[in-house]
């Protein structure tokens, strides 16, 4: 009998994906400021824990760059342009193999488009996928709700930013605990995203 996947995550083999959190989406995506704030926390925590981060921008010429509030470091971060809905570009797949990635933590937009396609492609490749529910949104809450349900059925793990960060640390004695704790001392913004699951 095959063992059930539990979705354990470890700093040593995880990667953070930030999907298409761009300027032109600001007026249309539900709870945009809140998901940006949560994605920024995830990004800063990943830097502290030295978790590799991959950032994509959907057709940046038309949709603009990643919003400044996240604080990406354009000179050093892996930021890739795309037109397809998946983040699984050839250079991303290469990087995941190089890094020995087993778990991908996914934030961004839109849940029913790029988040769903990326998650399904990663699952198909045998990786664990963790959707950060308070950092993923869409224009339509109905589309978002059914995308999350679809991803759950396909084997993705749905969690919150704080739950994920604490699971990665695993112990209050972890050398990065105090630094990451500062990021989560103030609760993530209450956007209503978690009540629409």
């Amino acid at each position: 009998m095959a063992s059930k996947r539990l979705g354990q995550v470890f700093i040593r083999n995880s990667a953070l994906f930030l999907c298409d959190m761009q300027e032109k989406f600001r007026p249309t995506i539900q709870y945009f400021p809140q998901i940006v704030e949560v994605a920024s926390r995830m990004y800063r925590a990943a830097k502290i824990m030295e978790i590799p981060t991959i950032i994509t921008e959907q057709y940046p010429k038309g949709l603009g760059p990643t919003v400044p509030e996240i604080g990406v470091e354009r000179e050093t971060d892996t930021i890739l342009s795309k037109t397809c809905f998946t983040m699984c570009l050839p250079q991303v797949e290469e990087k995941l193999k190089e890094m020995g990635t087993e778990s991908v933590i996914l934030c961004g937009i839109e849940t029913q488009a790029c988040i769903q396609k990326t998650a399904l492609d990663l699952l198909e490749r045998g990786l664990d996928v963790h959707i950060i529910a308070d950092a993923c949104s869409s224009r339509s809450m109905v589309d978002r709700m059914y995308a999350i349900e679809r991803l759950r059925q396909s084997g993705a793990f749905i969690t919150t930013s704080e739950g994920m960060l604490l699971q990665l640390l695993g112990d209050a004695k972890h050398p990065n605990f105090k630094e990451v704790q500062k990021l989560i001392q103030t609760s993530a913004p209450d956007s209503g995203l978690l009540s629409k699951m």
Side-chain angles (χ1 to χ4, degrees):
M1 189 171 89
S3 67
K4 184 171 167 41
R5 295 172 79 129
L6 297 176
Q8 291 273 33
V9 289
F10 304 98
I11 291 170
R12 68 177 181 273
N13 57 18
S14 293
L16 174 66
F17 278 25
L18 297 181
C19 184
D20 308 347
M21 304 191 80
Q22 293 158 263
E23 207 51 62
K24 283 279 172 75
F25 292 117
R26 195 184 291 274
T28 54
I29 298 294
Q30 299 283 316
Y31 303 111
F32 191 81
Q34 292 90 341
I35 64 163
V36 165
E37 185 181 326
V38 174
S40 175
R41 285 175 187 224
M42 295 300 298
Y43 173 79
R44 286 179 287 155
K47 288 280 183 203
I48 292 165
M49 293 184 272
E50 298 181 7
I51 293 172
T53 301
I54 293 170
I55 299 150
T56 56
E57 296 175 340
Q58 182 78 7
Y59 184 59
K61 189 177 170 187
L63 297 171
T66 300
V67 294
E69 301 95 304
I70 292 176
V72 297
E73 297 166 9
R74 296 198 80 85
E75 317 73 45
T76 54
D77 284 332
T78 303
I79 303 174
L80 302 165
S81 300
K82 65 183 183 63
T83 55
C84 56
F85 295 141
T86 186
M87 288 181 75
C88 291
L89 305 167
Q91 53 270 61
V92 171
E93 297 208 46
E94 212 172 284
K95 221 169 168 41
L96 292 175
K97 276 188 198 134
E98 266 171 40
M99 300 182 305
T101 306
E102 292 178 21
S103 297
V104 171
I105 301 156
L106 191 48
C107 304
I109 53 179
E110 286 195 56
T111 317
Q112 79 284 4
C114 298
I115 295 293
Q116 181 168 272
K117 180 67 175 137
T118 300
L120 293 174
D121 285 348
L122 291 166
L123 288 165
E124 195 172 48
R125 288 155 177 77
L127 282 92
D128 280 348
V129 179
H130 302 267
I131 308 291
I132 305 300
D134 48 341
C136 291
S137 193
S138 301
R139 287 166 296 135
S140 153
M141 289 296 95
V142 171
D143 283 332
R144 178 184 180 275
M145 176 178 73
Y146 281 99
I148 285 185
E149 187 50 38
R150 163 87 166 85
L151 290 169
R152 190 183 275 123
Q153 289 164 358
S154 300
F157 301 99
I158 316 298
T159 189
T160 63
S161 53
E162 185 167 326
M164 173 52 63
L165 294 176
L166 292 172
Q167 194 181 352
L168 283 162
L169 290 166
D171 193 322
K173 290 181 179 163
H174 190 283
N176 297 134
F177 178 74
K178 283 201 184 327
E179 236 182 316
V180 173
Q181 186 187 33
K182 285 178 194 160
L183 296 176
I184 59 175
Q185 252 165 353
T186 306
S187 294
D190 180 13
S191 58
L193 288 170
L194 300 183
S195 61
K196 293 174 172 60
M197 304 269 291

